[in-house]
Structures are given as C-alpha cells and as structure tokens.
Amino acid sequence: MRSWNAPVIPVLPGKGSAPDLFDTATGGRHVTDGGRLYVCGITPYDATHLGHANTYLAFDTLGRVWRDAGVEVVYAQNTTDVDDPLLERATATGVDWRELAASQTDLFRSDMEHLRVSPPDHFVAVTDVIEPIGEAVAKLLADGFAYRVDTPDSTAGDDVYFDVDRAGSETAWHLGLESRLGAGDMLRFFSERGGDPERPGKHNVLDPLLWRSARDGEPSWPSAVGDGRPGWHIECSVIALDHLALPVSVNGGGSDLIFPHHEMSAAHGTALTGETFASHYAHSGMVAYQGEKMSKSLGNLVKVSQLVASGVDARAIRLALLDHHYRSDWEWFDDSLLTAVARLAEWQRWAARAVDGTEVTPLLTELRRHLADDLDTPGAIAAVERAVASGEAPSSIDVEAVDALLGIRVSA
Ligand code: 5CA
Ligand code: ZN
C-alpha cells in the first residue's frame, strides 16, 4: 500500500558509526550495521498518540544513524488493519471497519509526515497479504508446526494454532529466545496481550492462534486453510519474510510487543524457513499519561494530529519526545511542550546566524558519538544546547546535522 512522503535529509560530510544498540534477546549491546529493519506498525484506530509517535521516532533515529554511517536501509512495516480491537471499535461506533482502518491509516501517514519520519520502503496492510499468510499457515500445518482445534462456532472449519513445544524442540527457536522471560511472566503477558491460555484443546497454553476460521458477522477471506482471518503474530513474520532477507537486522517495536508478539513472530519465521528470524530485537519504552500507559483501550491519549491542529509546531513535538532516551518509560505532561517550544525558538535564532561550512564540525562529531551510543538522543540534544548557549555562530554543517540526525529542520 502507499507509504508516505519522505523528508529531505541532508547528506553530511564524513561518516558516522553504526549504532551500538541494546538487544532485548541478549540483554547486552552490540553494533548493528545490517540495515534490514522491520518495525511493527499500528492497529489503525485511535492513531497516532504520542506513545506511537515515540516508538516510530526511535526507529526513525536508527534509520538516520544507519544512513549517516553508509548503511543501506530497507525498512518494512505492517498495519494490523483487521484484528479484534479494531473490529470492536468499528462495531461500537457504527463505522465500517474498513473505513475506520483506512481513515486512521491516512491520519497516521499525515502525522508521520508532520513529524518528518522517514517512510518504510514497504508499508503493508494485513488485508493485502491474506493469501500468503494462508499459505504460510498451510505450510506450518503440513510441516507439523501447527494443528487444528475444534471450533464448533465457526461456519468454515477449525481454528489453527502454532505448536510452541514442537517448534522449540525442532528448530533454532525456543520460548524465551527473544524475551528471556520466565514461565509466570509469559503466561501473564500472553493473557493480557491478546492470547487465550484457557482455550480448550490447545497443546500448550501459550500456543498462539495462527488462523481464525470464519464466524458469522466477522470479516473472512478464502485461503489455503479455509475461510477465515489471520492470527496476530503470523502477519509480521510473513510481511518480514516477503520483503527482507533473513535474518532481519533489527526487529523493533514498543516494549509491550516483547512477549508474546515478537517471540511468536520469530518462532513462526524460523519454523517457516529454518533460519534465525532476527539478529537483533530493539524495543522502545512506554509513554504514560495521567499515571498510566498511554493506550487506546484506556483512552488516555494525546494525539499528534490534535496538537498539530491546535497550532503546535510538529518540530516541538519531535524535540519533546526525543528528549527522552528511547528505552526509558516516561510520562507525558502537557507542559512538556513548553520547554520544547522555547528550545526550538532558540535553536532557530542560532541557525539563522549560521556561516557556510563544508567540513565536519565538533558538534557533528559529538552528535554522531551520542547517537551511536544506543541512540542517545537526550545526549545529542544536550550537545546542541551547549553549542547554542556558547553564543558562537554555528557552521551550516551544524544546522544540517541537527536536521539529518535529529530530524529537526531549524534553518529558515
Ligand atoms: N499492530 C500492532 C503491532 S503488529 C500494534 O501493537 N499496534 S499498536 O497500534 O497497538 O501499537 C503500535 C506501536 O506503538 C507498537 O510498536 C507499540 O509497541 C507502540 N506503542 C503503543 N502504545 C505505546 C505507548 N504508550 N508508548 C510507546 N509505544 C507505544
Ligand atoms: Zn507486529
């Protein structure tokens, strides 16, 4: 499907380093220079809140740092445009689910453009890849990694589940490979995040749904495994496999996707190909508001589009979000914007005094060093603040570095 318009990114003199990035699967850091990026996209309803924006900015920073280091970036992202919460919202508000998904995806595109987030090369709606997902589920069934569970309320056959124990014993994947969680935490997160441990007939309570066979009143499509619709994790495995060579260099998203989503996407990907799914798993922290995780289900949202409509400069939103390290959990306060707005004005006055330059500057070197250090955007912002406070006129390269690496265009 159509992605969104790319911001123009200045090319800087010299070359940055590939980032030394924290990896959820090892609990340590390693230099990541592959450039094949898969980031989980939105479920298109109630988009785009500042939590979403924070997550996409984290991976936008990764893309900017990679490109500056000369790494070729290939970026794929899904939208979960058919799923239970989206269907429930559509029913509750009396809107056709397709219209809800299309309008929210459009809003997301325009929010990403306002925030100057580079678009994925492959922006893929799940409803556009139902057929390959059905084929993948059929292959998992044929290879013994999936099984059917009796589904009397379906009009089309039985649901299909993934067999985590079989995959754990016969492939390079095993439970905990990516999340490093214990059994108790896995069960808790599985229940909280869309799983169904209580479903009778499953081999393991943690086995995730691969294919939900058709029910009356629910959208469904014909497929190699009968009429129905995909389970959640398989969509990201199939879209990543379609567009990126394995292993994916970085599989990313917010930390609420560590388990079960990324664990199971990796399991499906490995069971389908025999290969390691991703060499690195990166997760951004959760943004809270009014004391709780900002989430569509709680409704405690601050949306990018509302701020922009009320006249807030999107660069100030970007600056306010990037002032937190991508891995930290933090709370948004409405006055967070005031600091960012004032800062942006100072940076603009600073940029207006720029003198033409062509060479690598001390500030550029400092920005590169902070960002290669696990994407330390607060460190990079503090470096710009020091340069601005010094009273010295910047080089035009300093101003372009802020644009290219932090995504904030401060020149006129
Ligand atoms: N469609 C799935 C992924 S396949 C999904 O999780 N959609 S979402 O709309 O719920 O979230 C989109 C992205 O925003 C995910 O990476 C999620 O981890 C992230 N996210 C959601 N809420 C927050 C939050 N409060 N703070 C930071 N990131 C968040
Ligand atoms: Zn995903």
Side-chain angles (χ1 to χ4, degrees):
M1 110 183 125
R2 185 172 62 81
S3 194
W4 58 88
N5 294 314
V8 176
I9 299 180
V11 176
L12 301 171
K15 204 164 136 182
S17 314
D20 189 28
L21 198 68
F22 184 84
D23 177 15
T24 305
T26 60
R29 285 165 51 156
H30 54 91
V31 174
T32 320
D33 59 4
R36 294 184 302 280
L37 177 63
Y38 186 89
V39 179
C40 286
I42 55 163
T43 303
Y45 72 101
D46 273 349
T48 311
H49 64 62
L50 293 179
H52 299 141
N54 195 58
T55 288
Y56 298 110
L57 281 183
F59 293 99
D60 187 53
T61 305
L62 173 61
R64 285 169 185 268
V65 172
W66 265 344
R67 287 187 187 94
D68 181 55
V71 174
E72 190 200 339
V73 179
V74 187
Y75 182 8
Q77 184 180 129
N78 67 316
T79 59
T80 307
D81 65 342
V82 59
D83 197 15
D84 293 344
L86 172 85
L87 298 173
E88 283 159 19
R89 174 59 63 89
T91 306
T93 52
V95 179
D96 183 87
W97 65 271
R98 294 173 207 83
E99 277 171 33
L100 175 63
S103 64
Q104 293 291 303
T105 304
D106 266 346
L107 192 58
F108 177 69
R109 288 187 184 99
S110 95
D111 291 338
M112 292 297 104
E113 285 182 5
H114 278 122
L115 290 172
R116 297 175 58 83
V117 170
S118 292
D121 305 286
H122 307 282
F123 188 43
V124 184
V126 171
T127 53
D128 285 337
V129 287
I130 300 285
E131 198 177 319
I133 292 175
E135 282 160 14
V137 176
K139 181 172 185 339
L140 291 170
L141 272 170
D143 293 347
F145 291 116
Y147 59 95
R148 292 188 179 271
V149 171
D150 189 32
T151 311
D153 59 329
S154 167
T155 51
D158 291 334
D159 294 341
V160 183
Y161 281 80
F162 185 75
D163 193 323
V164 290
D165 292 324
R166 175 88 202 274
S169 64
E170 301 211 3
T171 74
W173 173 87
H174 61 86
L175 260 181
L177 173 90
E178 175 265 347
S179 66
R180 295 181 303 124
L181 290 173
D185 284 333
M186 284 186 189
L187 187 57
R188 181 163 59 83
F189 288 134
F190 190 79
S191 305
E192 286 172 9
R193 299 171 180 168
D196 53 357
E198 314 277 313
R199 171 83 189 250
K202 294 209 296 183
H203 297 177
N204 182 320
V205 287
L206 296 179
D207 287 349
L209 179 72
L210 282 167
W211 187 260
R212 178 172 165 87
S213 62
R215 312 288 205 278
D216 275 339
E218 290 186 18
S220 64
W221 292 259
S223 84
V225 285
D227 285 5
R229 61 181 163 100
W232 176 23
H233 321 300
I234 188 70
E235 70 190 52
C236 289
S237 323
V238 166
I239 294 168
L241 288 177
D242 265 1
H243 297 287
L244 305 171
L246 293 195
V248 170
S249 312
V250 171
N251 188 22
S255 60
D256 57 345
L257 300 185
I258 294 173
F259 194 89
H261 185 55
H262 285 170
E263 190 91 82
M264 299 305 178
S265 297
H268 300 341
T270 299
L272 282 165
T273 61
E275 289 176 54
T276 299
F277 183 66
S279 16
H280 198 115
Y281 294 88
H283 294 101
S284 52
M286 289 292 113
V287 178
Y289 186 54
Q290 297 168 336
E292 298 211 61
K293 175 190 160 189
M294 196 179 282
S295 76
K296 296 178 287 204
S297 46
L298 293 173
N300 55 337
L301 307 177
V302 179
K303 293 189 190 175
V304 173
S305 53
Q306 287 166 343
L307 292 177
V308 170
S310 71
V312 175
D313 188 322
R315 292 175 297 182
I317 305 173
R318 186 163 180 129
L319 201 43
L321 296 176
L322 290 180
D323 208 17
H324 300 267
H325 189 262
Y326 80 98
R327 285 204 287 125
S328 60
D329 296 325
W330 55 278
E331 179 159 358
W332 173 265
F333 294 102
D334 293 326
D335 61 7
S336 312
L337 266 177
L338 299 177
T339 318
V341 166
R343 194 172 259 180
L344 180 64
E346 275 176 38
W347 289 20
Q348 283 178 286
R349 283 194 290 277
W350 170 76
R353 296 166 53 219
V355 291
D356 280 351
T358 52
E359 303 292 316
V360 173
T361 62
L363 178 61
L364 169 54
T365 303
E366 218 186 331
L367 293 182
R368 281 176 167 155
R369 182 170 59 76
H370 284 296
L371 294 175
D373 177 13
D374 199 21
L375 310 179
D376 180 10
T377 54
I381 288 172
V384 180
E385 284 283 280
R386 283 192 295 277
V388 171
S390 75
E392 279 175 38
S395 157
S396 58
I397 295 301
D398 293 331
V399 177
E400 291 194 353
V402 171
D403 184 354
L405 297 174
L406 291 174
I408 297 168
R409 193 182 196 95
V410 277
S411 53

